[in-house]
Amino acid sequence: MKRLSDIGTIKDILSRHGFIFSKGLGQNFLINPSVCPKMAELSGAKEGVGVIEIGPGIGVLTQELCSLAEKVVAIEIDKRLIPVLSETLNEFDNVKIINDDVMKLDLNKLIKEEFGDMKVVVCANLPYYITSPVIMKLLEDRLSVETITVMVQKEAAQRICAEVGTRDSGAVTVSVNYYSKPEMLFGVSAGSFMPMPKVDSAVIRLNVYKEPLFEPENSKNFFKVVRAAFSQRRKTVLNSISSSLGLEKQTVNKLLSDSGVNPQVRAEKLSMNDFAEISRRISL
Ligand code: SAM
């Protein structure tokens, strides 16, 4: 197998295919040889396990996943990379490449068709321009996947993995925690990529709950309240919820008090349970 984390090999492949990086598609390819084996192993890829990869690029992580997993389905939006992947993955017969936009795919259907009863995990070095939308799609689609192991920008990783109710938390922290238990795995320096991005990255793992934390009939309200509460981070939860949802201050004040929440605190102070209590009482 041609080691794709070798910079000379990567340059050779890319120049033979006349490939030019697309900034718009978040194309920063991994060139640090120690990252992919570690990431693939921590994703839970092994015999009997199917893996969905998003954005295989030239296949550096895909090769590691194929060596460990039963089957890998990799979704790549850039059609220029398809012939590259045919070359770099040609020794594996357990991989399928889908040339599509992950945001447009019915992933539940894909899992049923490609993996049947196999246990499935997600593992990806995500394109940074759509990190949160991809993560939220994976969670909101309620896929039957056990874990989602993704590389994201370090700041996004810290935000997602922050404790709910602390200063570092945000709407994405609460939303991700509704569906899963996030875990910081390891940091990856900016120099591990070509071209080199401006910021460092980190690998996180979301351990997906079989059922979300609260009853589904409240979930719409729950996410509306979370988004509203964090819409103006520096304001009190009373002000941000009332202005963002267009509700009378008096009504929101009573709602918060009835939910056991101090209306004068900021959203970052609220627990999962506080958000649940508010969303149970609010009528939107
Ligand atoms: N996995 C490779 C690596 O680690 O070297 C490449 C990672 S690169 C950060 C992100 C990859 O996602 C690129 O190959 C890019 O073309 C692809 N991509 C960007 N947007 C996508 C989308 N909406 N759906 C699927 N793939 C996408």
Side-chain angles (χ1 to χ4, degrees), residues 24-31 36 53-62 75-78 81 100-103 124-130 134 151 193:
L25 290 177
Q27 290 176 341
N28 300 94
F29 295 167
L30 269 163
I31 51 167
C36 292
E53 186 190 2
I54 297 150
I58 62 168
V60 58
L61 176 61
T62 326
I75 304 155
E76 174 55 62
I77 196 171
D78 189 345
L81 289 166
D100 213 330
D101 178 348
V102 67
M103 296 305 291
N125 172 12
L126 286 181
Y128 295 157
Y129 75 105
I130 43 167
V134 171
M151 171 127 46
F193 301 88

PDB file of all heavy atoms in Angstrom, residues 24-31 36 53-62 75-78 81 100-103 124-130 134 151 193, ligand 1:
ATOM      1  N   GLY A  24     -12.891  26.432  -0.969  1.00  0.00           N
ATOM      2  CA  GLY A  24     -14.331  26.453  -0.712  1.00  0.00           C
ATOM      3  C   GLY A  24     -14.855  25.126  -0.194  1.00  0.00           C
ATOM      4  O   GLY A  24     -15.852  25.081   0.523  1.00  0.00           O
ATOM      5  N   LEU A  25     -14.201  24.024  -0.568  1.00  0.00           N
ATOM      6  CA  LEU A  25     -14.662  22.703  -0.115  1.00  0.00           C
ATOM      7  C   LEU A  25     -13.907  22.235   1.135  1.00  0.00           C
ATOM      8  O   LEU A  25     -13.998  21.072   1.526  1.00  0.00           O
ATOM      9  CB  LEU A  25     -14.507  21.665  -1.238  1.00  0.00           C
ATOM     10  CG  LEU A  25     -15.469  21.827  -2.418  1.00  0.00           C
ATOM     11  CD1 LEU A  25     -15.175  20.784  -3.499  1.00  0.00           C
ATOM     12  CD2 LEU A  25     -16.923  21.698  -1.967  1.00  0.00           C
ATOM     13  N   GLY A  26     -13.139  23.143   1.730  1.00  0.00           N
ATOM     14  CA  GLY A  26     -12.452  22.811   2.988  1.00  0.00           C
ATOM     15  C   GLY A  26     -11.398  21.722   2.795  1.00  0.00           C
ATOM     16  O   GLY A  26     -11.253  20.840   3.647  1.00  0.00           O
ATOM     17  N   GLN A  27     -10.680  21.796   1.681  1.00  0.00           N
ATOM     18  CA  GLN A  27      -9.722  20.715   1.396  1.00  0.00           C
ATOM     19  C   GLN A  27      -8.354  20.951   2.029  1.00  0.00           C
ATOM     20  O   GLN A  27      -7.470  21.576   1.438  1.00  0.00           O
ATOM     21  CB  GLN A  27      -9.613  20.512  -0.119  1.00  0.00           C
ATOM     22  CG  GLN A  27     -10.891  19.910  -0.684  1.00  0.00           C
ATOM     23  CD  GLN A  27     -10.904  19.766  -2.186  1.00  0.00           C
ATOM     24  OE1 GLN A  27     -10.123  20.402  -2.885  1.00  0.00           O
ATOM     25  NE2 GLN A  27     -11.801  18.929  -2.681  1.00  0.00           N
ATOM     26  N   ASN A  28      -8.185  20.447   3.239  1.00  0.00           N
ATOM     27  CA  ASN A  28      -6.878  20.411   3.901  1.00  0.00           C
ATOM     28  C   ASN A  28      -6.610  18.944   4.179  1.00  0.00           C
ATOM     29  O   ASN A  28      -7.278  18.334   5.018  1.00  0.00           O
ATOM     30  CB  ASN A  28      -6.903  21.199   5.224  1.00  0.00           C
ATOM     31  CG  ASN A  28      -7.262  22.655   5.002  1.00  0.00           C
ATOM     32  OD1 ASN A  28      -8.427  23.034   5.109  1.00  0.00           O
ATOM     33  ND2 ASN A  28      -6.293  23.468   4.663  1.00  0.00           N
ATOM     34  N   PHE A  29      -5.666  18.376   3.450  1.00  0.00           N
ATOM     35  CA  PHE A  29      -5.443  16.930   3.549  1.00  0.00           C
ATOM     36  C   PHE A  29      -4.389  16.623   4.606  1.00  0.00           C
ATOM     37  O   PHE A  29      -3.392  17.336   4.757  1.00  0.00           O
ATOM     38  CB  PHE A  29      -5.000  16.373   2.186  1.00  0.00           C
ATOM     39  CG  PHE A  29      -6.066  16.480   1.110  1.00  0.00           C
ATOM     40  CD1 PHE A  29      -5.745  16.269  -0.227  1.00  0.00           C
ATOM     41  CD2 PHE A  29      -7.388  16.765   1.432  1.00  0.00           C
ATOM     42  CE1 PHE A  29      -6.719  16.355  -1.221  1.00  0.00           C
ATOM     43  CE2 PHE A  29      -8.372  16.848   0.451  1.00  0.00           C
ATOM     44  CZ  PHE A  29      -8.038  16.655  -0.876  1.00  0.00           C
ATOM     45  N   LEU A  30      -4.606  15.516   5.312  1.00  0.00           N
ATOM     46  CA  LEU A  30      -3.690  15.128   6.388  1.00  0.00           C
ATOM     47  C   LEU A  30      -2.378  14.595   5.828  1.00  0.00           C
ATOM     48  O   LEU A  30      -2.373  13.746   4.931  1.00  0.00           O
ATOM     49  CB  LEU A  30      -4.342  14.031   7.234  1.00  0.00           C
ATOM     50  CG  LEU A  30      -5.161  14.528   8.420  1.00  0.00           C
ATOM     51  CD1 LEU A  30      -6.071  13.433   8.932  1.00  0.00           C
ATOM     52  CD2 LEU A  30      -4.253  15.039   9.533  1.00  0.00           C
ATOM     53  N   ILE A  31      -1.270  15.080   6.392  1.00  0.00           N
ATOM     54  CA  ILE A  31       0.036  14.580   5.955  1.00  0.00           C
ATOM     55  C   ILE A  31       0.861  14.095   7.140  1.00  0.00           C
ATOM     56  O   ILE A  31       2.019  13.713   6.980  1.00  0.00           O
ATOM     57  CB  ILE A  31       0.835  15.672   5.187  1.00  0.00           C
ATOM     58  CG1 ILE A  31       0.881  16.981   5.998  1.00  0.00           C
ATOM     59  CG2 ILE A  31       0.252  15.924   3.817  1.00  0.00           C
ATOM     60  CD1 ILE A  31       1.895  17.988   5.482  1.00  0.00           C
ATOM     61  N   CYS A  36      -3.941   9.368  11.309  1.00  0.00           N
ATOM     62  CA  CYS A  36      -5.020   8.508  10.801  1.00  0.00           C
ATOM     63  C   CYS A  36      -5.116   7.137  11.474  1.00  0.00           C
ATOM     64  O   CYS A  36      -6.223   6.696  11.797  1.00  0.00           O
ATOM     65  CB  CYS A  36      -4.918   8.368   9.283  1.00  0.00           C
ATOM     66  SG  CYS A  36      -5.286   9.917   8.475  1.00  0.00           S
ATOM     67  N   GLU A  53     -17.496   7.341   6.097  1.00  0.00           N
ATOM     68  CA  GLU A  53     -16.536   8.441   6.127  1.00  0.00           C
ATOM     69  C   GLU A  53     -17.086   9.587   5.272  1.00  0.00           C
ATOM     70  O   GLU A  53     -17.637   9.349   4.191  1.00  0.00           O
ATOM     71  CB  GLU A  53     -15.157   8.012   5.591  1.00  0.00           C
ATOM     72  CG  GLU A  53     -14.137   9.134   5.770  1.00  0.00           C
ATOM     73  CD  GLU A  53     -12.801   8.918   5.054  1.00  0.00           C
ATOM     74  OE1 GLU A  53     -12.634   7.903   4.350  1.00  0.00           O
ATOM     75  OE2 GLU A  53     -11.941   9.797   5.192  1.00  0.00           O
ATOM     76  N   ILE A  54     -16.926  10.809   5.763  1.00  0.00           N
ATOM     77  CA  ILE A  54     -17.373  11.981   4.995  1.00  0.00           C
ATOM     78  C   ILE A  54     -16.132  12.731   4.524  1.00  0.00           C
ATOM     79  O   ILE A  54     -15.281  13.088   5.338  1.00  0.00           O
ATOM     80  CB  ILE A  54     -18.252  12.892   5.882  1.00  0.00           C
ATOM     81  CG1 ILE A  54     -19.513  12.121   6.304  1.00  0.00           C
ATOM     82  CG2 ILE A  54     -18.634  14.177   5.154  1.00  0.00           C
ATOM     83  CD1 ILE A  54     -20.049  12.554   7.639  1.00  0.00           C
ATOM     84  N   GLY A  55     -16.019  12.931   3.230  1.00  0.00           N
ATOM     85  CA  GLY A  55     -14.881  13.671   2.683  1.00  0.00           C
ATOM     86  C   GLY A  55     -13.573  12.910   2.757  1.00  0.00           C
ATOM     87  O   GLY A  55     -12.663  13.308   3.480  1.00  0.00           O
ATOM     88  N   PRO A  56     -13.440  11.808   1.985  1.00  0.00           N
ATOM     89  CA  PRO A  56     -12.199  11.028   2.042  1.00  0.00           C
ATOM     90  C   PRO A  56     -10.976  11.732   1.450  1.00  0.00           C
ATOM     91  O   PRO A  56      -9.846  11.320   1.713  1.00  0.00           O
ATOM     92  CB  PRO A  56     -12.531   9.764   1.244  1.00  0.00           C
ATOM     93  CG  PRO A  56     -13.648  10.179   0.340  1.00  0.00           C
ATOM     94  CD  PRO A  56     -14.439  11.191   1.106  1.00  0.00           C
ATOM     95  N   GLY A  57     -11.192  12.786   0.661  1.00  0.00           N
ATOM     96  CA  GLY A  57     -10.041  13.476   0.057  1.00  0.00           C
ATOM     97  C   GLY A  57      -9.328  12.535  -0.891  1.00  0.00           C
ATOM     98  O   GLY A  57      -9.926  12.017  -1.834  1.00  0.00           O
ATOM     99  N   ILE A  58      -8.022  12.283  -0.634  1.00  0.00           N
ATOM    100  CA  ILE A  58      -7.312  11.332  -1.498  1.00  0.00           C
ATOM    101  C   ILE A  58      -7.250   9.947  -0.839  1.00  0.00           C
ATOM    102  O   ILE A  58      -6.604   9.039  -1.348  1.00  0.00           O
ATOM    103  CB  ILE A  58      -5.893  11.814  -1.872  1.00  0.00           C
ATOM    104  CG1 ILE A  58      -5.014  11.962  -0.624  1.00  0.00           C
ATOM    105  CG2 ILE A  58      -5.938  13.110  -2.654  1.00  0.00           C
ATOM    106  CD1 ILE A  58      -3.545  12.142  -0.982  1.00  0.00           C
ATOM    107  N   GLY A  59      -7.888   9.806   0.333  1.00  0.00           N
ATOM    108  CA  GLY A  59      -8.048   8.467   0.913  1.00  0.00           C
ATOM    109  C   GLY A  59      -7.090   8.116   2.034  1.00  0.00           C
ATOM    110  O   GLY A  59      -6.958   6.941   2.388  1.00  0.00           O
ATOM    111  N   VAL A  60      -6.448   9.116   2.634  1.00  0.00           N
ATOM    112  CA  VAL A  60      -5.448   8.817   3.660  1.00  0.00           C
ATOM    113  C   VAL A  60      -6.061   8.139   4.895  1.00  0.00           C
ATOM    114  O   VAL A  60      -5.541   7.134   5.397  1.00  0.00           O
ATOM    115  CB  VAL A  60      -4.625  10.092   4.005  1.00  0.00           C
ATOM    116  CG1 VAL A  60      -5.494  11.226   4.478  1.00  0.00           C
ATOM    117  CG2 VAL A  60      -3.568   9.827   5.040  1.00  0.00           C
ATOM    118  N   LEU A  61      -7.204   8.653   5.351  1.00  0.00           N
ATOM    119  CA  LEU A  61      -7.896   8.031   6.485  1.00  0.00           C
ATOM    120  C   LEU A  61      -8.658   6.796   6.012  1.00  0.00           C
ATOM    121  O   LEU A  61      -8.737   5.789   6.730  1.00  0.00           O
ATOM    122  CB  LEU A  61      -8.855   9.070   7.118  1.00  0.00           C
ATOM    123  CG  LEU A  61      -9.755   8.612   8.255  1.00  0.00           C
ATOM    124  CD1 LEU A  61      -8.947   8.109   9.455  1.00  0.00           C
ATOM    125  CD2 LEU A  61     -10.682   9.750   8.708  1.00  0.00           C
ATOM    126  N   THR A  62      -9.174   6.864   4.806  1.00  0.00           N
ATOM    127  CA  THR A  62      -9.944   5.752   4.245  1.00  0.00           C
ATOM    128  C   THR A  62      -9.115   4.470   4.234  1.00  0.00           C
ATOM    129  O   THR A  62      -9.620   3.386   4.564  1.00  0.00           O
ATOM    130  CB  THR A  62     -10.385   6.082   2.789  1.00  0.00           C
ATOM    131  OG1 THR A  62     -10.638   7.474   2.687  1.00  0.00           O
ATOM    132  CG2 THR A  62     -11.614   5.287   2.394  1.00  0.00           C
ATOM    133  N   ILE A  75     -18.161   9.222   1.418  1.00  0.00           N
ATOM    134  CA  ILE A  75     -18.953  10.173   0.633  1.00  0.00           C
ATOM    135  C   ILE A  75     -18.087  11.386   0.299  1.00  0.00           C
ATOM    136  O   ILE A  75     -17.654  12.107   1.196  1.00  0.00           O
ATOM    137  CB  ILE A  75     -20.184  10.632   1.454  1.00  0.00           C
ATOM    138  CG1 ILE A  75     -21.012   9.415   1.896  1.00  0.00           C
ATOM    139  CG2 ILE A  75     -21.037  11.617   0.659  1.00  0.00           C
ATOM    140  CD1 ILE A  75     -21.840   9.670   3.137  1.00  0.00           C
ATOM    141  N   GLU A  76     -17.827  11.599  -0.975  1.00  0.00           N
ATOM    142  CA  GLU A  76     -16.946  12.700  -1.399  1.00  0.00           C
ATOM    143  C   GLU A  76     -17.674  13.564  -2.428  1.00  0.00           C
ATOM    144  O   GLU A  76     -18.115  13.082  -3.455  1.00  0.00           O
ATOM    145  CB  GLU A  76     -15.647  12.144  -1.984  1.00  0.00           C
ATOM    146  CG  GLU A  76     -14.708  13.160  -2.585  1.00  0.00           C
ATOM    147  CD  GLU A  76     -14.320  14.307  -1.631  1.00  0.00           C
ATOM    148  OE1 GLU A  76     -13.721  14.036  -0.594  1.00  0.00           O
ATOM    149  OE2 GLU A  76     -14.657  15.471  -1.935  1.00  0.00           O
ATOM    150  N   ILE A  77     -17.753  14.849  -2.159  1.00  0.00           N
ATOM    151  CA  ILE A  77     -18.505  15.765  -3.042  1.00  0.00           C
ATOM    152  C   ILE A  77     -17.734  16.113  -4.319  1.00  0.00           C
ATOM    153  O   ILE A  77     -18.321  16.391  -5.363  1.00  0.00           O
ATOM    154  CB  ILE A  77     -18.858  17.062  -2.271  1.00  0.00           C
ATOM    155  CG1 ILE A  77     -19.957  17.855  -2.983  1.00  0.00           C
ATOM    156  CG2 ILE A  77     -17.635  17.942  -2.064  1.00  0.00           C
ATOM    157  CD1 ILE A  77     -20.493  19.025  -2.166  1.00  0.00           C
ATOM    158  N   ASP A  78     -16.398  16.101  -4.246  1.00  0.00           N
ATOM    159  CA  ASP A  78     -15.570  16.606  -5.348  1.00  0.00           C
ATOM    160  C   ASP A  78     -15.293  15.492  -6.364  1.00  0.00           C
ATOM    161  O   ASP A  78     -14.515  14.560  -6.085  1.00  0.00           O
ATOM    162  CB  ASP A  78     -14.253  17.149  -4.761  1.00  0.00           C
ATOM    163  CG  ASP A  78     -13.422  17.889  -5.804  1.00  0.00           C
ATOM    164  OD1 ASP A  78     -13.706  17.748  -7.017  1.00  0.00           O
ATOM    165  OD2 ASP A  78     -12.478  18.595  -5.397  1.00  0.00           O
ATOM    166  N   LEU A  81     -11.869  14.000  -7.294  1.00  0.00           N
ATOM    167  CA  LEU A  81     -11.136  13.075  -6.410  1.00  0.00           C
ATOM    168  C   LEU A  81     -11.508  11.605  -6.648  1.00  0.00           C
ATOM    169  O   LEU A  81     -10.839  10.712  -6.140  1.00  0.00           O
ATOM    170  CB  LEU A  81     -11.382  13.451  -4.941  1.00  0.00           C
ATOM    171  CG  LEU A  81     -10.696  14.745  -4.487  1.00  0.00           C
ATOM    172  CD1 LEU A  81     -11.237  15.230  -3.154  1.00  0.00           C
ATOM    173  CD2 LEU A  81      -9.186  14.533  -4.387  1.00  0.00           C
ATOM    174  N   ASP A 100     -21.146  12.479  -3.809  1.00  0.00           N
ATOM    175  CA  ASP A 100     -22.339  13.273  -3.498  1.00  0.00           C
ATOM    176  C   ASP A 100     -22.045  14.229  -2.353  1.00  0.00           C
ATOM    177  O   ASP A 100     -21.005  14.132  -1.694  1.00  0.00           O
ATOM    178  CB  ASP A 100     -23.497  12.335  -3.115  1.00  0.00           C
ATOM    179  CG  ASP A 100     -24.847  12.889  -3.556  1.00  0.00           C
ATOM    180  OD1 ASP A 100     -24.985  14.125  -3.620  1.00  0.00           O
ATOM    181  OD2 ASP A 100     -25.752  12.091  -3.833  1.00  0.00           O
ATOM    182  N   ASP A 101     -23.013  15.106  -2.109  1.00  0.00           N
ATOM    183  CA  ASP A 101     -22.956  16.055  -0.995  1.00  0.00           C
ATOM    184  C   ASP A 101     -23.597  15.375   0.210  1.00  0.00           C
ATOM    185  O   ASP A 101     -24.782  15.008   0.159  1.00  0.00           O
ATOM    186  CB  ASP A 101     -23.754  17.307  -1.409  1.00  0.00           C
ATOM    187  CG  ASP A 101     -23.806  18.353  -0.309  1.00  0.00           C
ATOM    188  OD1 ASP A 101     -23.436  18.044   0.839  1.00  0.00           O
ATOM    189  OD2 ASP A 101     -24.234  19.475  -0.615  1.00  0.00           O
ATOM    190  N   VAL A 102     -22.858  15.219   1.285  1.00  0.00           N
ATOM    191  CA  VAL A 102     -23.383  14.503   2.459  1.00  0.00           C
ATOM    192  C   VAL A 102     -24.660  15.152   2.974  1.00  0.00           C
ATOM    193  O   VAL A 102     -25.554  14.477   3.489  1.00  0.00           O
ATOM    194  CB  VAL A 102     -22.321  14.414   3.580  1.00  0.00           C
ATOM    195  CG1 VAL A 102     -22.005  15.784   4.167  1.00  0.00           C
ATOM    196  CG2 VAL A 102     -22.780  13.480   4.682  1.00  0.00           C
ATOM    197  N   MET A 103     -24.795  16.479   2.814  1.00  0.00           N
ATOM    198  CA  MET A 103     -25.960  17.178   3.342  1.00  0.00           C
ATOM    199  C   MET A 103     -27.238  16.813   2.578  1.00  0.00           C
ATOM    200  O   MET A 103     -28.340  17.055   3.047  1.00  0.00           O
ATOM    201  CB  MET A 103     -25.748  18.704   3.286  1.00  0.00           C
ATOM    202  CG  MET A 103     -24.614  19.214   4.154  1.00  0.00           C
ATOM    203  SD  MET A 103     -24.745  18.728   5.885  1.00  0.00           S
ATOM    204  CE  MET A 103     -26.158  19.704   6.420  1.00  0.00           C
ATOM    205  N   ALA A 124     -14.495  10.800  10.349  1.00  0.00           N
ATOM    206  CA  ALA A 124     -14.216  11.760   9.280  1.00  0.00           C
ATOM    207  C   ALA A 124     -13.357  12.920   9.740  1.00  0.00           C
ATOM    208  O   ALA A 124     -13.454  13.357  10.882  1.00  0.00           O
ATOM    209  CB  ALA A 124     -15.545  12.325   8.740  1.00  0.00           C
ATOM    210  N   ASN A 125     -12.541  13.398   8.818  1.00  0.00           N
ATOM    211  CA  ASN A 125     -11.858  14.672   8.985  1.00  0.00           C
ATOM    212  C   ASN A 125     -12.755  15.669   8.250  1.00  0.00           C
ATOM    213  O   ASN A 125     -12.727  15.764   7.032  1.00  0.00           O
ATOM    214  CB  ASN A 125     -10.465  14.582   8.360  1.00  0.00           C
ATOM    215  CG  ASN A 125      -9.757  15.922   8.313  1.00  0.00           C
ATOM    216  OD1 ASN A 125     -10.178  16.885   8.933  1.00  0.00           O
ATOM    217  ND2 ASN A 125      -8.671  15.967   7.559  1.00  0.00           N
ATOM    218  N   LEU A 126     -13.601  16.358   9.009  1.00  0.00           N
ATOM    219  CA  LEU A 126     -14.682  17.132   8.388  1.00  0.00           C
ATOM    220  C   LEU A 126     -14.203  18.394   7.684  1.00  0.00           C
ATOM    221  O   LEU A 126     -13.290  19.070   8.164  1.00  0.00           O
ATOM    222  CB  LEU A 126     -15.699  17.545   9.453  1.00  0.00           C
ATOM    223  CG  LEU A 126     -16.625  16.464   9.991  1.00  0.00           C
ATOM    224  CD1 LEU A 126     -17.576  17.065  11.020  1.00  0.00           C
ATOM    225  CD2 LEU A 126     -17.408  15.773   8.892  1.00  0.00           C
ATOM    226  N   PRO A 127     -14.863  18.731   6.551  1.00  0.00           N
ATOM    227  CA  PRO A 127     -14.596  20.040   5.933  1.00  0.00           C
ATOM    228  C   PRO A 127     -15.088  21.110   6.911  1.00  0.00           C
ATOM    229  O   PRO A 127     -16.240  21.077   7.350  1.00  0.00           O
ATOM    230  CB  PRO A 127     -15.444  20.008   4.660  1.00  0.00           C
ATOM    231  CG  PRO A 127     -16.441  18.900   4.838  1.00  0.00           C
ATOM    232  CD  PRO A 127     -15.898  17.956   5.852  1.00  0.00           C
ATOM    233  N   TYR A 128     -14.214  22.064   7.261  1.00  0.00           N
ATOM    234  CA  TYR A 128     -14.537  22.966   8.364  1.00  0.00           C
ATOM    235  C   TYR A 128     -15.667  23.936   8.071  1.00  0.00           C
ATOM    236  O   TYR A 128     -16.309  24.422   8.980  1.00  0.00           O
ATOM    237  CB  TYR A 128     -13.270  23.724   8.786  1.00  0.00           C
ATOM    238  CG  TYR A 128     -12.213  22.804   9.356  1.00  0.00           C
ATOM    239  CD1 TYR A 128     -10.878  23.154   9.360  1.00  0.00           C
ATOM    240  CD2 TYR A 128     -12.578  21.573   9.897  1.00  0.00           C
ATOM    241  CE1 TYR A 128      -9.911  22.290   9.881  1.00  0.00           C
ATOM    242  CE2 TYR A 128     -11.625  20.710  10.417  1.00  0.00           C
ATOM    243  CZ  TYR A 128     -10.294  21.072  10.402  1.00  0.00           C
ATOM    244  OH  TYR A 128      -9.361  20.221  10.916  1.00  0.00           O
ATOM    245  N   TYR A 129     -15.928  24.194   6.773  1.00  0.00           N
ATOM    246  CA  TYR A 129     -16.980  25.185   6.487  1.00  0.00           C
ATOM    247  C   TYR A 129     -18.376  24.674   6.832  1.00  0.00           C
ATOM    248  O   TYR A 129     -19.316  25.465   6.894  1.00  0.00           O
ATOM    249  CB  TYR A 129     -16.909  25.626   5.011  1.00  0.00           C
ATOM    250  CG  TYR A 129     -17.438  24.593   4.019  1.00  0.00           C
ATOM    251  CD1 TYR A 129     -18.674  24.751   3.414  1.00  0.00           C
ATOM    252  CD2 TYR A 129     -16.694  23.460   3.707  1.00  0.00           C
ATOM    253  CE1 TYR A 129     -19.162  23.816   2.517  1.00  0.00           C
ATOM    254  CE2 TYR A 129     -17.162  22.526   2.811  1.00  0.00           C
ATOM    255  CZ  TYR A 129     -18.399  22.702   2.219  1.00  0.00           C
ATOM    256  OH  TYR A 129     -18.878  21.769   1.334  1.00  0.00           O
ATOM    257  N   ILE A 130     -18.513  23.344   7.030  1.00  0.00           N
ATOM    258  CA  ILE A 130     -19.840  22.846   7.409  1.00  0.00           C
ATOM    259  C   ILE A 130     -19.775  21.896   8.621  1.00  0.00           C
ATOM    260  O   ILE A 130     -20.602  20.984   8.742  1.00  0.00           O
ATOM    261  CB  ILE A 130     -20.585  22.131   6.248  1.00  0.00           C
ATOM    262  CG1 ILE A 130     -19.653  21.199   5.474  1.00  0.00           C
ATOM    263  CG2 ILE A 130     -21.302  23.107   5.355  1.00  0.00           C
ATOM    264  CD1 ILE A 130     -20.417  20.248   4.547  1.00  0.00           C
ATOM    265  N   VAL A 134     -23.003  19.430   9.539  1.00  0.00           N
ATOM    266  CA  VAL A 134     -22.837  17.986   9.326  1.00  0.00           C
ATOM    267  C   VAL A 134     -23.079  17.239  10.638  1.00  0.00           C
ATOM    268  O   VAL A 134     -23.825  16.254  10.678  1.00  0.00           O
ATOM    269  CB  VAL A 134     -21.435  17.637   8.757  1.00  0.00           C
ATOM    270  CG1 VAL A 134     -21.210  16.131   8.743  1.00  0.00           C
ATOM    271  CG2 VAL A 134     -21.253  18.198   7.358  1.00  0.00           C
ATOM    272  N   MET A 151     -12.705  14.951  13.166  1.00  0.00           N
ATOM    273  CA  MET A 151     -11.702  15.993  13.363  1.00  0.00           C
ATOM    274  C   MET A 151     -12.360  17.311  12.995  1.00  0.00           C
ATOM    275  O   MET A 151     -12.982  17.441  11.935  1.00  0.00           O
ATOM    276  CB  MET A 151     -10.531  15.720  12.427  1.00  0.00           C
ATOM    277  CG  MET A 151      -9.560  16.854  12.398  1.00  0.00           C
ATOM    278  SD  MET A 151      -7.903  16.354  12.720  1.00  0.00           S
ATOM    279  CE  MET A 151      -7.666  14.946  11.719  1.00  0.00           C
ATOM    280  N   PHE A 193      -1.383  19.280   8.160  1.00  0.00           N
ATOM    281  CA  PHE A 193      -2.223  19.321   6.961  1.00  0.00           C
ATOM    282  C   PHE A 193      -1.539  20.010   5.786  1.00  0.00           C
ATOM    283  O   PHE A 193      -0.684  20.868   5.979  1.00  0.00           O
ATOM    284  CB  PHE A 193      -3.515  20.106   7.242  1.00  0.00           C
ATOM    285  CG  PHE A 193      -4.351  19.555   8.352  1.00  0.00           C
ATOM    286  CD1 PHE A 193      -4.124  19.960   9.659  1.00  0.00           C
ATOM    287  CD2 PHE A 193      -5.355  18.640   8.100  1.00  0.00           C
ATOM    288  CE1 PHE A 193      -4.890  19.467  10.701  1.00  0.00           C
ATOM    289  CE2 PHE A 193      -6.133  18.139   9.138  1.00  0.00           C
ATOM    290  CZ  PHE A 193      -5.901  18.552  10.436  1.00  0.00           C
TER     291      PHE A 193
HETATM  292  N1  SAM B   1     -10.146  12.889   4.691  1.00  0.00           N
HETATM  293  C1  SAM B   1      -9.164  13.651   3.959  1.00  0.00           C
HETATM  294  C2  SAM B   1      -7.936  13.877   4.822  1.00  0.00           C
HETATM  295  O1  SAM B   1      -8.068  13.730   6.043  1.00  0.00           O
HETATM  296  O2  SAM B   1      -6.882  14.169   4.290  1.00  0.00           O
HETATM  297  C3  SAM B   1      -9.733  14.984   3.465  1.00  0.00           C
HETATM  298  C4  SAM B   1     -10.331  15.861   4.519  1.00  0.00           C
HETATM  299  S1  SAM B   1     -10.704  17.497   3.960  1.00  0.00           S
HETATM  300  C5  SAM B   1     -10.607  18.367   5.488  1.00  0.00           C
HETATM  301  C6  SAM B   1     -12.477  17.496   3.688  1.00  0.00           C
HETATM  302  C7  SAM B   1     -12.971  16.677   2.506  1.00  0.00           C
HETATM  303  O3  SAM B   1     -14.406  16.789   2.470  1.00  0.00           O
HETATM  304  C8  SAM B   1     -12.493  17.128   1.156  1.00  0.00           C
HETATM  305  O4  SAM B   1     -12.082  16.014   0.407  1.00  0.00           O
HETATM  306  C9  SAM B   1     -13.731  17.779   0.497  1.00  0.00           C
HETATM  307  O5  SAM B   1     -13.749  17.691  -0.909  1.00  0.00           O
HETATM  308  C10 SAM B   1     -14.855  16.970   1.132  1.00  0.00           C
HETATM  309  N2  SAM B   1     -16.161  17.654   1.203  1.00  0.00           N
HETATM  310  C11 SAM B   1     -16.391  18.989   1.335  1.00  0.00           C
HETATM  311  N3  SAM B   1     -17.710  19.230   1.413  1.00  0.00           N
HETATM  312  C12 SAM B   1     -18.341  18.032   1.329  1.00  0.00           C
HETATM  313  C13 SAM B   1     -19.720  17.638   1.328  1.00  0.00           C
HETATM  314  N4  SAM B   1     -20.698  18.543   1.458  1.00  0.00           N
HETATM  315  N5  SAM B   1     -20.015  16.319   1.204  1.00  0.00           N
HETATM  316  C14 SAM B   1     -19.020  15.399   1.087  1.00  0.00           C
HETATM  317  N6  SAM B   1     -17.693  15.727   1.071  1.00  0.00           N
HETATM  318  C15 SAM B   1     -17.358  17.014   1.198  1.00  0.00           C
END
